[in-house]
Amino acid sequence: MFAYFSDDEVTIYLDFSSISEVDMARKFIQRISDGFIMKEIIRWAITLKDQDRVIGIYDPRPRARGTII
């Protein structure tokens, strides 16, 4: 997760800036987990079966009008 969300070429398309520390990734994962339990947030990490790395995310929330992703 850290490698994926610390990449400026990835986060340019997301609703937050790149992270710069592993602890920030841990906090992000915890926030998503807590939001899922509270039924407020849902995001899925996309991985390949044979690789232990994130290659994308899916966030079904509607985007702000005019946002291009």
Side-chain angles (χ1 to χ4, degrees), residues 12-42:
I12 192 171
Y13 301 104
L14 303 177
D15 58 351
F16 55 88
S17 300
S18 297
I19 59 176
S20 59
E21 299 175 15
V22 173
D23 191 53
M24 293 171 75
R26 287 188 185 106
K27 289 177 182 176
F28 175 76
I29 293 167
Q30 187 62 54
R31 191 169 59 242
I32 296 298
S33 179
D34 293 345
F36 182 78
I37 290 167
M38 301 298 292
K39 298 184 181 192
E40 297 172 345
I41 299 172
I42 188 162

Side-chain angles (χ1 to χ4, degrees), residues 2 16 30 33 42-43 45 50-51 54-55 60-61 68:
F2 175 75
F16 55 88
Q30 187 62 54
S33 179
I42 188 162
R43 278 192 175 157
D50 61 342
Q51 296 182 19
V54 175
I55 62 166
R61 296 177 298 172
I68 299 173

